[in-house]
Amino acid sequence: MDAKLLELLEQIAKAIAAQFGSNCEVVLHELSGKSAYSSIVAIENGHVTGRKVGDGASHVAMEQVRNADAQPMDHLSYLTKTPDGKILKSSTMYIRGKGGKVVAILGINYDISSLLMVESAVRELT
């Protein structure tokens, strides 16, 4: 992947994480020339999922790339659950390089577990 593109995506990841706070994980995977099992090149708030630089992409993201889907579609605002029970509102964006080939994945995972508890408590009161 082009170094300038990587730098730009890292800058965007930092901005998104700063905007939405510590419950918002933003992860950047580089796919060009990297193993899917160690594709994370940058991550903000990795405590949300427990991942770190050097870890791999989620099976959801890699499924689309692996399924010979020449043009995987961005998957926005879907719910996932971590192994430790956190509920995440997630978005996965496929970043294309020259020629339209997916070279990176930008993922946003927002832990909404506490928001769901507040929603439930308010519903109970009203």
Side-chain angles (χ1 to χ4, degrees):
M1 174 177 13
D2 176 75
K4 287 187 181 199
L5 176 59
L6 180 60
E7 188 177 317
L8 174 63
L9 291 171
E10 288 175 350
Q11 182 182 3
I12 290 169
K14 286 182 186 305
I16 293 168
Q19 175 69 32
F20 294 102
S22 65
N23 285 336
C24 183
E25 175 189 84
V26 185
V27 61
L28 178 60
H29 300 271
E30 183 179 356
L31 300 181
S32 56
K34 289 220 174 242
S35 165
Y37 300 105
S38 61
S39 61
I40 295 177
V41 293
I43 190 165
E44 300 293 323
N45 297 322
H47 64 275
V48 171
T49 63
R51 295 184 298 173
K52 61 189 180 318
V53 169
D55 286 349
S58 72
H59 66 83
V60 172
M62 290 313 297
E63 228 12 69
Q64 280 209 13
V65 174
R66 197 174 310 129
N67 278 342
D69 189 348
Q71 295 298 321
M73 300 293 292
D74 292 346
H75 195 191
L76 306 176
S77 195
Y78 60 97
L79 296 180
T80 55
K81 190 174 187 177
T82 65
D84 63 354
K86 294 176 189 165
I87 305 296
L88 307 178
K89 186 172 184 181
S90 300
S91 289
T92 304
M93 284 86 34
Y94 297 92
I95 311 300
R96 291 170 175 78
K98 293 181 171 110
K101 182 179 179 199
V102 175
V103 295
I105 299 171
L106 180 68
I108 303 170
N109 299 300
Y110 193 88
D111 181 0
I112 63 169
S113 303
S114 46
L115 293 172
L116 292 173
M117 286 190 292
V118 169
E119 177 188 43
S120 177
V122 169
R123 189 178 302 122
E124 190 74 25
L125 287 171
T126 57

